[in-house]
Amino acid sequence: MSTSMLNAVLSLHVTSIGDWPLPQVSSYSQCFQSSLPASQLYSSCNINIQQIAMGNCLTLSSLRDVSKRNKALPIDTAFRLPSPLPEWPPGEGFAGGTIDLGGIHVYQCGISSSTKVWATHEGGAENLGASFFEPSWIPDGYYMLGSYAQPNNKLLSGWVLAARDDTDDSLLKHPVDYTLVWSSESLKSKQDGIGYIWLPVAPQGYKAVGHVVTNTNDKPSLDKTRCVRSDFTDESENSTWIWGPGNANGINFFSSRPVNRGTQDMGVCVGTFVAQDSPLACLKNVKSNLSCMPNLTQIETLFQAYSPWIYFHPKETYLPSSVTWFFANGALLYTEGEESKPVPIEQTGSNLPQGGSNDGNYWLDLPMDEASKERVKKGDLRDSQVYLHVKPMLGATYSDIAIWVFYPFNGPAKAKVELIDIPLRKIGEHVGDWEHVTLRVSNFNGELHRVYFSEHSGGSWVDASDLEFQGGNKPCAYSSLHGHAMYSKPGMALQGSGGIGIRNDTAKSTIVMDTGLQYSLVAAEYLALGSTEPPWLNYFRKWGPKISYELADEVRKVDKILRGKLKTAFEKLIKGLPNEVLGEEGPTGPKVKRNWNGDEV
C-alpha cells in the first residue's frame, strides 16, 4: 500500500472520530509527512502495518482503547466528602477510631492512603478493570486481615479493617500456609504486571476473613495477615460485583457482607473482597457491645451534618406533611363493621389502636367532605416533618439513620410503552404514603459511607462517592412525581424492562425540603434513655383504605391505543406490579416495614 493511499485512509478515519484524543500526533496523516524512519514513524502513530494492509488499523474499538489509556480513571482520584467532619460531641465510644468486638479491637484503614498491589485495565464495569490494594499504614499492634479491591470506574474510596488481639493472643493467629486461588498470568487484557490472589490456610479452630494479593508468584509471608478464632466470626456472602467476566466462564470478585444483617445481628464487615466462592468469614461483635453507637447529642450533630435535601418534581401535586397535620386536618379512623362511624384522630394518634398486627380491622382515610379531602391530599410542605429512626447495623460498627417522610396521598402512576406515555388513571392512587432514605454512618469516625433510597417496594444503596451534595455534606434526594420513590439523581427511571414500565420522573425544582430544619427523633431503641415514641408509630394497621376497583377495567381504559405485542406487554406489566404501586392496599407505617429491624436489602 502506497504512502498516499495510507494517508488518505488515515485522514478519512481521523476526521470521523470527533474529539477523541490521539497518541503523540494531532492526526495520523501527519505520520507520513515526517522524516522519521518507518519503524519509528509507525511506532509513534501506534499503528501496525499489517493491520493497515488489512484495512482495520483505526477501528472504533481501537480508538476507544487509545482514549482509555490516555484518560485518567476515576479510581485515580481519592474521594473526599465536600466539607470537613464536624467536631463530634463527647460520648462513650462513637467516632473513637477503634471498636471493641469483645476482645478483638478493630481499626478502619482508609484506602485513600493505601498501596496499590495490582490492577487490570479491562473487563468489569464499563470495561475499565479493577484495582487491588493493601493498607500502607496500620497502627502498632494491629494486623491486616485482608486486601481490598474496587472497580476502576469509581472514585477511590472504601476501607478495610485491621485487628488487635486484646487477650492472651488466642483470638488472632497467622495462617499456616496459603493456597493460590487465581493468577492473571493467562489474562489476555491490559494489566499492571501479574496479580496473584491467595487464600490464607487457617489453623484448626480459626477462619480466614480476607484474601492477600501479591504481584509475584512467591507466597506471602505468614506474618502478612491474621486469621480469626471461629467464635469471633460469622457467615458471610457475596455482595457487590467488583470485577470479572460477570458470568460462569471465569472467576468473579465481589465485596463481602454478613449473611444475617439486622439490629440484633452482630456480623461485622471486614471490607475485604472475596474471589468467587472462597470460604471466607466475616467478623463478629461477640458481646453485642453498643457503646460505639451515638448518643442523643451526637445524633443531632450527625443529622445536622448529613440531613438530605429532598427535591420534588415541579409538577408535583401531592406533597408531604407532618403526621400531626394530617390528623388535625380531618383524617379519620375506621373500624371493620362500623364503617358508618369513623372517628377523628387525636393529633398524637393517642386514640389509635396500639400494637397487634395488620389484621384488617382498622384503617385510616381522608376527611369525608370533598373540599377538605382534596386539600388534605395535597399535603402541606411548610408543615412537613421527617421522622428519624437510629439503629445499629453490621455489629454496631455502623449507625443507620432512617429518615421517614409521610405523604397524605399517592397520585396516579404513568406508564411508558416504548415511545408512548400512558396516564394510568386510578392505578397507583392510595391514601397515606411512607417513603424513606437511610444514612449509613461509620461508628469509627462518624463519616457518611452510603445512602439508601427507597423505591416503592425496593430501593438501592448509593456509595457516598456517587452522591450529589449540596450545602456541605448534605446529600440530595429526588422524589418521583406522584409516586414519591426516592432517587439519587434527577431524570426518568423506568420500573420495568425492554422500554416498557412505570415512569418515575424526578427533577430539581424550587419545591424542596431541607430535612434538617424540621425533624423528630421517634425511635432509637438502643439508648437507655432513648426518645419517647409517639403513639402513631405503634399503630400497625393500614394508613389508607383498601381501594376496590377492577384492574381489568382500568387497563381497558388505557390500552385501547395499543395493539399486538405492545398491548400484551403492557397488560403483563400492570398485572405484575406490587400492591405498593397498584395502590389497591393502604400502606402500613414505618415500624411494620421489614427494614425497621433489618437491613434495607
Side-chain angles (χ1 to χ4, degrees), residues 223-280:
D223 202 44
K224 181 75 173 179
T225 189
R226 289 293 185 270
C227 300
V228 182
R229 204 172 73 186
S230 296
D231 56 330
F232 276 73
T233 67
D234 208 345
E235 187 180 2
S236 68
E237 66 181 10
N238 297 350
S239 182
T240 306
W241 180 55
I242 295 173
W243 180 76
N247 53 44
N249 296 325
I251 193 166
N252 287 279
F253 298 87
F254 300 86
S255 62
S256 177
R257 65 183 182 183
V259 170
N260 301 307
R261 302 179 306 281
T263 58
Q264 302 301 313
D265 297 308
M266 289 294 118
V268 174
C269 278
V270 184
T272 54
F273 69 92
V274 59
Q276 203 75 11
D277 298 318
S278 295
L280 293 178

Side-chain angles (χ1 to χ4, degrees), residues 46-112:
N46 199 27
I47 295 173
N48 181 287
I49 295 298
Q50 291 180 342
Q51 289 180 318
I52 295 174
M54 295 169 62
N56 64 356
C57 68
L58 277 176
T59 63
L60 194 59
S61 61
S62 67
L63 287 168
R64 284 178 176 148
D65 289 341
V66 168
S67 175
K68 185 171 70 175
R69 286 196 297 269
N70 288 353
K71 183 180 179 181
L73 295 170
I75 200 169
D76 295 331
T77 302
F79 169 73
R80 295 284 189 275
L81 287 171
S83 298
L85 297 182
E87 182 176 343
W88 305 116
E92 188 173 356
F94 175 73
T98 65
I99 293 177
D100 181 9
L101 302 182
I104 294 178
H105 261 81
V106 285
Y107 173 84
Q108 199 171 59
C109 305
I111 295 301
S112 59

Side-chain angles (χ1 to χ4, degrees), residues 300-557:
E300 183 176 350
T301 305
L302 278 169
F303 195 63
Q304 289 303 317
Y306 301 130
S307 53
W309 301 85
I310 300 178
Y311 281 94
F312 302 95
H313 195 279
K315 295 182 180 179
E316 183 59 76
T317 304
Y318 308 107
L319 293 166
S321 76
S322 66
V323 170
T324 55
W325 182 92
F326 179 59
F327 293 164
N329 280 271
L332 299 170
L333 170 66
Y334 284 79
T335 304
E336 176 77 18
E338 299 181 5
E339 289 84 353
S340 62
K341 297 184 291 183
V343 177
I345 305 170
E346 300 292 335
Q347 284 198 32
T348 63
S350 58
N351 62 330
L352 292 173
Q354 299 290 288
S357 63
N358 181 28
D359 52 18
N361 290 332
Y362 301 93
W363 63 91
L364 309 187
D365 205 348
L366 298 167
M368 297 181 68
D369 68 281
E370 288 302 316
S372 296
K373 181 181 296 185
E374 291 304 312
R375 179 177 59 82
V376 172
K377 275 185 179 182
K378 296 177 180 179
D380 189 334
L381 189 59
R382 292 173 299 178
D383 198 85
S384 63
Q385 190 176 54
V386 297
Y387 303 98
L388 309 186
H389 175 214
V390 184
K391 58 183 180 178
M393 287 299 300
L394 302 175
T397 56
Y398 281 88
S399 294
D400 274 12
I401 304 177
I403 305 161
W404 291 94
V405 186
F406 176 72
Y407 301 80
F409 193 75
N410 192 95
K414 180 182 288 186
K416 180 177 178 63
V417 183
E418 294 187 351
L419 299 178
I420 305 172
D421 290 337
I422 304 173
L424 294 183
R425 302 174 185 264
K426 291 183 179 180
I427 295 176
E429 289 188 344
H430 60 80
V431 175
D433 188 24
W434 283 101
E435 300 292 345
H436 73 285
V437 295
T438 297
L439 310 175
R440 178 156 288 178
V441 176
S442 168
N443 287 342
F444 289 93
N445 52 22
E447 185 172 332
L448 176 68
H449 274 199
R450 312 179 84 190
V451 175
Y452 181 82
F453 297 83
S454 67
E455 301 159 10
H456 303 303
S457 57
S460 58
W461 283 106
V462 177
D463 291 338
S465 59
D466 294 324
L467 294 171
E468 175 189 351
F469 291 93
Q470 177 181 318
N473 296 331
K474 297 172 179 284
C476 294
Y478 294 86
S479 174
S480 67
L481 179 63
H482 290 178
H484 310 138
M486 297 288 190
Y487 294 92
S488 63
K489 296 287 190 291
M492 193 275 286
L494 194 65
Q495 186 178 354
S497 61
I500 300 175
I502 299 297
R503 291 186 64 113
N504 290 279
D505 293 284
T506 61
K508 184 168 283 188
S509 73
T510 57
I511 311 173
V512 60
M513 175 193 289
D514 180 354
T515 60
L517 294 181
Q518 290 180 284
Y519 66 92
S520 175
L521 176 64
V522 295
E525 295 92 338
Y526 67 91
L527 291 173
L529 301 174
S531 58
T532 302
E533 295 182 355
W536 59 259
L537 186 62
N538 291 295
Y539 168 71
F540 293 163
R541 279 77 172 185
K542 297 290 187 183
W543 283 69
K546 181 176 181 177
I547 298 175
S548 298
Y549 61 81
E550 289 295 330
L551 183 60
D553 291 342
E554 293 299 316
V555 170
R556 278 194 292 270
K557 292 176 183 177

Side-chain angles (χ1 to χ4, degrees), residues 73 75-76 114-119 121 130-134 152 192 215:
L73 295 170
I75 200 169
D76 295 331
S114 61
T115 301
K116 184 186 292 186
V117 180
W118 177 73
H121 299 282
S131 296
F132 295 75
F133 302 84
E134 65 179 39
N152 289 338
D192 296 342
N215 48 28

